[in-house]
Structure formats: C-alpha cells, structure tokens
Amino acid sequence: MFVGAIFFPLLGACISGFLGRWIGDRAAQWSTVACMVLAAICGSAAFGQVALGGHPLVQLIWTWMDVGGLEVSWALRYDTLSVVMVAMVTFISTLIHLYSVGYMSHDATPARFFAYLSLFTFMMLMLVTADNLAQLFFGWEGVGLASYLLIGYWYDRESANRAAMKAFIVNRVGDVFFMLGLALTFYIFGSIEFATIFPAVEAHAADRFLGIPAIELIGVLLFLGACGKSAQLGLHTWLPDAMEGPTPVSALIHAATMVTAGVFLVCRMSPLMEYAPVALTVVTVVGASTAFFAATIGCVQNDIKRVIAYSTCSQLGYMFFAAGVGAYQVAMFHLFTHAFFKALLFLGAGSVIHAMSDEQDIRRMGGIWTKIPVTYAVMWIGNLALAGIPFFAGYYSKDAILEAAYAAGGGAAAYAWVLGMAAAFLTAFYSWRLLILTFHGEPRADHHVMEHVHESPLVMLIPLIVLAAGAVLTGYLFAPLFIGEHAHEFWHEAIFNGPHNHILHEMHEVPHWVPLAPTVMGVAGIALAYVMYMAMPALPARLARMFSARPEMVRNLPLIPAEGAEQQTEPNPGGLYGFLLKKWYFDELYDAIFVRPARRLANVFWKVGDAQIIDGMPNGAGSLAVEASRGAVRLQTGRVANYAFAMIIGLVVFVSLFLFVG
C-alpha cells in the first residue's frame, strides 16, 4: 500500500511513455488513469492508517549512498504530514488525469502528455515522502524537470519554449540556495537524515557559521530555495508564464504539486525553524508581501488562466506567513483546502476555454452562463471558496491564517495581518471580476465562436463536480483534525511547535470581531466587483484611463496577433494601471539587470573568447602552416634551370657573407 501509492504513477508514466506507440493513445491514456486510481486508493488507505489510526512508519527500500561520513537511505517516511500530502496529491492528480482524457482528446501526442503528467505526480510523491534532504532534493529537482517538460509540451510554440526555459532557470536560482542549506546542514549536524537532525537541533542552537547563527542561516537558505518552487516575491516571475502549458498542467502545478513543495519544506523543517526566529520573520514578511503583491496584479489581468495563476501566488503567500508565525498546521490546512478549489478553478477555466474555441481573454467572453451551466455553477463554488465566504473551504482555512497572524502579535505578524486583510478584499474582487466578465453581460466574442459554445463532455465534468464537493466540504470536515483542539494528536509530532509556541490555542481566543473581519472584506470585494462590472460596466475603463499615463493606449481589446504568431503582450499605458498591468515591472527589471548583461557577456565570450581565442589560436597556427606549405609548393617547379639558378644565388649570398664577415 505505502509503496504502491508512490510507484503506481511511475508505472503509468512508463507504460504511456515507452509503450504508447504500440498500445495506442487511448490505451496509454486509460492505463495512466487506472494507475492513478490505484495510487489514490493506496494513498487514501495510508491516510486512514497513519493519520487517523496514529501509526506512522518509515518504509526502508534500500541504502542509496554510503560515502565517507555520508550515509543516505532511500526510504518512504509516512507520518501525518507526508500522508496528508500523499492522499491529496494522488486524489487531485487522478481527477486531473481523468479530466485530461477529454481535454487532450484532439492532441497529436496524448501518450507523451500523460507520461509527463504521471512522472510529475511521481516526483512530487517522492518529495513529500522523503526521509532525508537528499531524497527530498531528488523529488525537488524531479518536479522541476517535469514542469519544464509540461510547460513546454507544445514545443512548436516559441512562447511555450520561452516559458519552460524561464521556469527552469528561475527555479535553478532557488535550488542553489537549497543546496547551500543542505550542505550547511550536513556540516553542522553530520547528517541529512531527518531522524538525526531534528532531535539534535536544540543541542546545536548556539552553533555559528562565519559568525552567523547556523540554524538561522540554514532556515533562511532553505526558505530561499522554497521561494523558487513556490513562486514567492522575487522568484515568482516564472509562475504566470507557466500558463503556456495545457490547462491540466496548470491545475496540477498550481493546486497539488510543484508550488506547494516550498510550503511543505518549511513545515517539514519546523523542528529547525522553531529555533530560527529571524528566519521565521523573513518567511512572514516575504509571504505577506507576496500575498498582497500578487493580489494587486490579479485585479487587472485579462487572461483567465493568469488571473487564477496570480491567485495561486497570493494564496501561497498566505501559507508562508502562517508558517512564519508558527502556525504550521494552519498553513498545511490551507494548502489542503486550496488544492481542491484551485484545481476546480483551473479545470473550470479549461472548460470555458474548451467551450470558447481556445479563447482565453475574458474581455472576449460574456453572456455564456446559460450555455455552459455546469461549468458556471462549479466556477461559482470555486470562487466562493477562494473568497473565503462562509461556509466554503477557504472560509475555514484562510480565516484561520488571519486569526493566527493576529494572535501571534509582534511587528512581522501585524504586518502580515494587515496585508492579509487587504489581500482578502482584493481576492474577492478579482474573483468576481473574473466570474462576471467570463459569464455575464453581453456576448463580446465573435458570433462564430458564440455559435459553437457548448458544455464539456462528461469525462471533464465528473472531476469538476467532485472537486466542487471538495471545495464545499473539506474545510468543515477537516478543520477539527488539522487545527482543532486535538490537532496535536492528529499530527502525531509530524509538525513541531516549540515550548514557547502556543499559537493553535491563542488563535481560538482572539476577539470576536477578528474572525468576522475577513468575511466582511470578502463581501465588500464582491460588492465592488458587482458595482464596477455589472451595475456600471463603463466604470473600469474610465478608471483605467484615469490612472494611466497614456490613456489613449487603454483599449477594450488587446492587439490580435497574426495567425500562428507568438502571443503579443499588453501595451503599456503607464501610470498605476500600467504598473499593475505590467506586473510591477519585475520582468522588465530582471531583463535590464540580469538578462541583457548576461547576453552581452555571452556575446563577448562567443566572439572574443570562443571565435578569436579558443578557435583563433589553433586555427591561426593551422592557417600559417597552410600558407607556408603553399609557398614551399610554389618553389617546387620541377625545372632544373630554376633549381640551378637558386643554387647559384645561394652560393653568391654565402660567399658575400663570408667576405663581409671576414
């Protein structure tokens, strides 16, 4: 059961990837779905035995490395933290695989797609069941590789290739910090096995490295690694570009797998993080800043998938600042509920795109809610959960994060609470902006597109309905287990709270207005979106022009690229609106600071270092030898008179030198 939950997806990937050409596309698709169903059954059973039954275990597979003082076993660590992730990942991924059968039905190479999708799931499962940092790093790099393959799946599109490279490179930046943290952990503890590290943290609390507290430095380095995978402020730029992949890929990356790896890492390392208060402060501040930053951008984006992508970035910020104030259980609770309603929103967006003949711009939609009623209903549910409206899943988990931040007190926690409240308002606003522009109002699409709007097939609707049920029920059902009075019994020491950390108790004793405040902000955000996009539909354009430096550039519709051309970016109207529309100019800033100088340096290395020095020296010596041989060849005329004349000239020169010297 424990091994099957992890390795069934790998089996599906191998069948589809290596045998897909012989067994056919349909057989490859359904074989991977069947393997995922088996993995989900095993994962759910493991959840029952480990989390509910209270029987954690470590399943040893083999000794992986034994070099000098480094001994690493390949083992599956099944405690409550791991099994929550295993059950969630296998369940969500199974639904995404099933949905993909319908969504990718017209694709040219579905067997390759399903192989990548199952490989991605396997790598995430290896990550969350790791018993040491090396094994975790294997899964960490594996999801990076699989994300590169999936984001660039349509490799004939230049935009997809660029997005895949961007995701891969930005994640490598974060991975450098992860590796430094891993190396420092081994230097301090003499091991990278969790069973050795965690009990020894208190004994090494006073250790220093280069004059810096070693535990603090390890915590910061591992968090910076997490920032890459979980797209936190500074290393977030790959996340919206990842929308170039097929929609099921977006759902899997953003809901259950890759982006949650960073949050999982911080919670896994809670025994270490509890002795690193400065690192936790960094986590809190960066998480809160990301939650607000991404929410502001989501308010003006026009691509249906990018709006939801920035929503993911914002919600990950919530999870991080929950962990930063010591409420690791609350962070994991929001990660768990978020997986259901975010997968629902992405797959719902995919259903809309499918219905609208691959249109993704919400300004070209509208008036379609009667044509796709099931998709409309589940998108309502997903947005209600995201906005934190009672009594949907997000209401229980996101509000608990804000209560924990308020209860924690202190400057960083207060900063997180204020920005978290602002982000709650903005989240509700952009959620209903998306809903209204997509489904309501007058149809803004071409009439030929509107004629073909249709509901998705049953194979796509069943996962949507199941996820909608999860978006409604998971908060209510699992809140007592994850963050209730007996939460410590549920987690069975998989998450560590230091002697000074009583956050789970304190968050239930906040003033009565604190739990109500996020709901008020959510309702206010929905009301504002209704006024702006339903009651006064001309108001958004007026406000956009008002807050633009070049109002004439604010268009109702973007420029339409030529057929087959790469997707064009939005024009920049400047001002506050342009600042948000261009995503706070992070891409432009990084292009100026990193990309252009790197290209100029690469040109120098190429034209001077490579062409002139590396190739030039041996090529120059070769050219010299060739020219010398050509000169020698010209002397060999084959005429005796020429040779005799040359000998006479030589004799004259020799005699002249002899007489001159003499």
Side-chain angles (χ1 to χ4, degrees):
M1 175 178 67
F2 297 108
V3 174
I6 311 303
F7 287 96
F8 273 129
L10 180 61
L11 175 62
C14 292
I15 292 173
S16 184
F18 296 123
L19 303 178
R21 183 178 300 178
W22 289 275
I23 65 177
D25 290 336
R26 299 298 289 178
Q29 290 174 314
W30 286 108
S31 63
T32 54
V33 172
C35 287
M36 283 309 309
V37 169
L38 292 173
I41 293 171
C42 292
S44 301
F47 179 84
Q49 180 172 324
V50 175
L52 302 180
H55 298 291
L57 78 155
V58 175
Q59 182 75 45
L60 181 65
I61 299 178
W62 65 73
T63 299
W64 186 18
M65 286 184 278
D66 189 357
V67 182
L70 177 63
E71 182 177 345
V72 177
S73 298
W74 196 283
L76 304 179
R77 183 185 184 92
Y78 271 96
D79 56 12
T80 304
L81 183 61
S82 295
V83 83
V84 163
M85 294 296 295
V86 169
M88 181 267 289
V89 169
T90 54
F91 184 77
I92 298 291
S93 184
T94 299
L95 295 176
I96 293 173
H97 275 71
L98 181 62
Y99 177 95
S100 300
V101 171
Y103 192 86
M104 303 296 289
S105 60
H106 300 297
D107 191 73
T109 56
R112 178 168 64 91
F113 175 80
F114 277 80
Y116 292 166
L117 207 63
S118 291
L119 178 65
F120 195 5
T121 304
F122 165 72
M123 289 299 183
M124 185 64 186
L125 293 170
M126 288 305 308
L127 188 158
V128 300
T129 55
D131 191 42
N132 54 75
L133 284 172
Q135 187 179 335
L136 192 150
F137 189 66
F138 168 80
W140 192 269
E141 291 299 294
V143 294
L145 168 64
S147 68
Y148 169 79
L149 296 173
L150 285 167
I151 294 168
Y153 173 74
W154 285 317
Y155 55 82
D156 54 339
R157 300 181 183 179
E158 180 63 24
S159 57
N161 293 328
R162 291 179 181 274
M165 286 296 296
K166 187 176 183 180
F168 197 77
I169 293 169
V170 173
N171 272 276
R172 296 293 75 73
V173 174
D175 292 349
V176 170
F177 294 108
F178 187 106
M179 288 188 287
L180 291 174
L182 190 156
L184 184 57
T185 301
F186 180 70
Y187 177 79
I188 297 296
F189 294 96
S191 174
I192 53 176
E193 299 275 351
F194 296 143
T196 303
I197 297 169
F198 294 160
V201 171
E202 189 173 4
H204 290 276
D207 290 6
R208 304 183 80 82
F209 180 77
L210 300 178
I212 304 171
I215 303 298
E216 295 280 12
L217 186 56
I218 292 171
V220 171
L221 288 173
L222 292 179
F223 170 65
L224 291 175
C227 285
K229 281 287 179 288
S230 295
Q232 293 301 281
L233 191 61
L235 294 177
H236 67 281
T237 52
W238 67 270
L239 193 70
D241 291 42
M243 298 301 99
E244 290 293 337
T247 300
V249 174
S250 304
L252 194 58
I253 290 177
H254 287 247
T257 55
M258 183 168 165
V259 296
T260 62
V263 180
F264 171 82
L265 175 64
V266 172
C267 294
R268 169 59 78 201
M269 301 302 292
S270 59
L272 184 143
M273 300 297 289
E274 283 291 271
Y275 289 90
V278 174
L280 286 178
T281 300
V282 173
V283 174
T284 305
V285 171
V286 173
S289 301
T290 305
F292 176 75
F293 151 80
T296 61
I297 297 175
C299 292
V300 299
Q301 295 301 302
N302 298 307
D303 184 302
I304 186 171
K305 288 169 63 178
R306 287 185 182 239
V307 175
I308 305 172
Y310 277 107
S311 165
T312 300
C313 190
S314 180
Q315 298 305 305
L316 289 166
Y318 274 100
M319 298 174 206
F320 272 111
F321 80 69
V325 300
Y328 309 100
Q329 296 89 339
V330 181
M332 288 302 301
F333 183 38
H334 193 50
L335 185 155
F336 183 77
T337 60
H338 174 263
F340 286 88
F341 60 77
K342 188 51 59 69
L344 175 63
L345 286 171
F346 267 113
L347 296 186
S351 184
V352 171
I353 295 167
H354 178 79
M356 295 292 294
S357 304
D358 296 329
E359 179 59 69
Q360 294 186 202
D361 194 316
I362 58 177
R363 294 168 297 182
R364 296 187 184 276
M365 299 180 184
I368 61 173
W369 72 274
T370 56
K371 296 177 179 289
I372 47 174
V374 177
T375 301
Y376 175 64
V378 299
M379 288 290 283
W380 256 93
I381 293 171
N383 280 304
L384 287 168
L386 176 61
I389 301 301
F391 294 88
F392 295 83
Y395 166 75
Y396 295 91
S397 57
K398 188 166 73 174
D399 288 16
I401 291 175
L402 293 169
E403 292 169 29
Y406 184 90
Y415 173 81
W417 186 80
V418 171
L419 290 191
M421 291 296 293
F425 171 79
L426 296 174
T427 299
F429 171 77
Y430 68 65
S431 298
W432 254 255
R433 172 181 178 267
L434 174 71
L435 195 70
I436 293 169
L437 288 178
T438 301
F439 293 100
H440 291 280
E442 293 296 322
R444 298 180 296 278
D446 186 89
H447 70 279
H448 295 295
V449 174
M450 292 300 297
E451 288 176 358
H452 294 90
V453 174
H454 59 283
E455 189 60 272
S456 298
L458 194 61
V459 73
M460 293 170 63
L461 293 181
I462 290 175
L464 290 175
I465 294 168
V466 175
L467 288 170
V472 175
L473 298 174
T474 50
Y476 172 76
L477 293 177
F478 289 95
L481 293 175
F482 281 72
I483 60 172
E485 294 181 3
H486 303 290
H488 289 291
E489 298 175 9
F490 171 76
W491 291 103
H492 299 294
E493 300 182 353
I495 289 176
F496 176 76
N497 295 111
H500 60 284
N501 186 346
H502 305 287
I503 190 67
L504 287 184
H505 176 71
E506 294 169 354
M507 62 180 280
H508 294 297
E509 297 185 350
V510 297
H512 294 300
W513 63 269
V514 175
L516 295 175
T519 302
V520 172
M521 298 299 283
V523 172
I526 293 172
L528 179 61
Y530 179 84
V531 169
M532 290 182 63
Y533 294 96
M534 287 286 281
M536 305 173 65
L539 181 60
R542 289 207 302 269
L543 290 175
R545 293 187 181 94
M546 184 184 304
F547 290 100
S548 299
R550 294 181 289 277
E552 69 279 0
M553 296 187 67
V554 178
R555 302 168 181 262
N556 291 325
L557 293 173
L559 296 173
I560 304 173
E563 185 69 25
E566 183 179 348
Q567 183 180 1
Q568 296 185 21
T569 58
E570 295 273 1
N572 182 13
L576 177 61
Y577 178 64
F579 178 70
L580 298 179
L581 190 66
K582 304 304 286 185
K583 302 162 286 188
W584 289 33
Y585 297 118
F586 266 98
D587 284 325
E588 289 78 5
L589 182 65
Y590 286 179
D591 187 61
I593 295 176
F594 301 114
V595 178
R596 292 179 188 174
R599 285 182 174 174
R600 285 195 291 267
L601 185 63
N603 272 324
V604 171
F605 285 147
W606 165 38
K607 294 180 179 179
V608 177
D610 191 11
Q612 296 183 17
I613 298 176
I614 296 176
D615 289 342
M617 292 179 65
N619 290 348
S623 299
L624 184 62
V626 169
E627 292 300 322
S629 66
R630 287 174 179 169
V633 166
R634 283 194 288 269
L635 294 176
Q636 301 297 323
T637 63
R639 296 179 179 179
V640 175
N642 290 352
Y643 297 156
F645 181 73
M647 291 173 65
I648 294 171
I649 294 297
L651 182 62
V652 170
V653 171
F654 177 76
V655 172
S656 300
L657 288 174
F658 179 78
L659 294 174
F660 177 77
V661 173

